[in-house]
Amino acid sequence: MQTGEPVTSAPLAARLTAPRGPLFFPVTAYGPGGEVDLDVYRAHVRQGVEAGAAAVFACCGTGEFHALTPEEFQDCVRAAVEETAGRVPVLAGAGYGTALAVRYARLAEEAGADGLLAMPPYLVLAGEEGLLRHYREVAAATSLPVIVYQRDNAVFTPRAVVELARTEGIVGLKDGLGDLDLMQRTVSAVRTEVPGDFLYFNGLPTAEQTQLAYRGLGVTLYSSAVFCFVPEIALAFHRALRTGDDATAHRLLDGFYRPFTELRAQGRGYAVALVKAGVRLRGLDVGEVRPPLHEPTGDHVKRLAEVIERGHALLEEAR
């Protein structure tokens, strides 16, 4: 059983780029009455770290950031920090409008988080000037390093990412858009105009499905939602990428990740709801998703169980 790396004072960027394992985005556990269940949440985080996660991203997309009160958010971040005990870094989500994003950032810092994932502003379609001001204010609000999440209504030109990379406190960009041409031009622009390292993450849903392409751009970090319920499969895929074992990567893509992705596409919100169902199938009752998300159908849960079984069979065949 892996128990994580020793406590370290190394900068967050150095800890995230160590080739240890996938980035873990835990679901948020709810009890029968819909309240946050911190005991189950702690168990979920603990299991992920012991399985080999390289970092814990608490209360982000898979963790239903949108559904949590500020108090619940801080309780979950603090619980994740306590459960990891410094073995791996803990990053927390921060979002909505600028004032609330700053509040969440400060709550995360108070709870002991090592960094922030700054999600798109709520609702508005802002121009780049306004977006840059938003993220600069979030970065200035705490001493925590910030990763900006590009997706939906927060999409940047390469020039804007150069400006983000020049902003004190902003250390990386997580891409949830999937435009590889734009990503290549962005990586090139930052590389040539901003000295030092800047982190890039593949943040697409079921990122393993596109990670071979992102690896070609030099983007080696990616979020792994399936790590929540099949860490052994996620670790095998991560190991295959790290060692250049493309045959294993292709086998898992064809037999597990593609069927899972196709099932995920059967319902809105399944990028979260199906993952939570997977955690329950593996024996940890993390409860249902909160509205406005909805639960997968019984047939889809049955199909998910079959996909998981097939994934395990692929691992056995490789032994």
Side-chain angles (χ1 to χ4, degrees):
M1 178 178 294
Q2 299 184 45
T3 57
E5 299 294 335
V7 176
T8 175
S9 60
L12 176 64
R15 299 182 72 189
L16 285 175
T17 52
R20 183 178 179 275
L23 305 178
F24 175 33
F25 287 67
V27 301
T28 299
Y30 305 127
E35 71 286 354
V36 171
D37 190 327
L38 285 176
D39 289 338
V40 175
Y41 181 73
R42 285 176 178 274
H44 181 45
V45 171
R46 186 166 59 248
Q47 289 173 5
V49 173
E50 291 174 348
V56 174
F57 282 70
C59 303
C60 296
T62 309
E64 295 179 80
F65 172 81
H66 68 277
L68 300 174
T69 67
E71 295 77 17
E72 291 171 330
F73 166 87
Q74 189 173 48
D75 286 345
C76 287
V77 175
R78 183 176 290 114
V81 169
E82 292 172 355
E83 288 302 321
T84 59
R87 292 175 290 174
V88 299
V90 174
L91 293 89
Y96 301 119
T98 306
L100 274 176
V102 164
R103 183 183 178 193
Y104 278 98
R106 290 173 175 161
L107 289 173
E109 185 173 41
E110 291 171 8
D114 298 289
L116 299 169
L117 178 63
M119 291 177 280
Y122 172 70
L123 193 60
V124 295
L125 289 171
E128 282 191 343
E129 181 180 352
L131 288 172
L132 289 172
R133 181 180 175 189
H134 170 81
Y135 290 110
R136 284 168 176 158
E137 291 193 20
V138 173
T142 75
S143 63
L144 299 179
V146 175
I147 297 161
V148 174
Y149 197 175
Q150 170 171 264
R151 58 175 291 171
D152 301 324
N153 59 327
V155 177
F156 304 96
T157 63
R159 171 54 52 189
V161 180
V162 166
E163 293 304 311
L164 289 172
R166 287 174 173 159
T167 300
E168 183 176 358
I170 296 180
V171 301
L173 179 77
K174 181 181 179 184
D175 181 50
L177 182 65
D179 183 334
L180 295 184
D181 173 78
L182 176 61
M183 272 301 292
Q184 179 62 79
R185 289 185 289 115
T186 296
V187 170
S188 176
V190 174
R191 182 170 58 228
T192 56
E193 298 188 41
V194 184
D197 295 327
F198 192 68
L199 301 177
Y200 297 96
F201 303 76
N202 174 2
L204 289 171
T206 315
E208 288 93 342
Q209 188 73 4
T210 53
Q211 187 51 31
L212 284 170
Y214 274 84
R215 186 183 67 178
L217 301 180
V219 177
T220 58
L221 296 168
Y222 61 92
S223 55
S224 179
V226 302
F227 184 87
C228 288
F229 62 94
V230 282
E232 58 280 0
I233 295 175
L235 282 164
F237 184 83
H238 185 273
R239 190 180 310 113
L241 285 181
R242 193 174 71 243
T243 61
D245 182 4
D246 286 359
T248 295
H250 292 159
R251 185 162 57 249
L252 291 172
L253 284 170
D254 296 344
F256 172 77
Y257 284 104
R258 179 170 58 84
F260 175 75
T261 301
E262 291 172 347
L263 180 58
R264 189 199 70 213
Q266 297 302 303
R268 285 184 176 271
Y270 271 21
V272 177
L274 206 61
V275 171
K276 237 178 172 178
V279 177
R280 294 196 301 269
L281 283 172
R282 298 302 300 276
L284 188 64
D285 188 1
V286 291
E288 299 184 351
V289 292
R290 281 179 172 175
L293 299 179
H294 66 87
E295 286 297 297
T297 67
D299 179 62
H300 288 163
V301 174
K302 180 181 178 181
R303 288 170 57 186
L304 175 60
E306 293 169 352
V307 171
I308 293 172
E309 183 178 2
R310 175 57 181 154
H312 285 144
L314 290 170
L315 293 185
E316 287 298 321
E317 290 171 8
R319 288 176 182 164

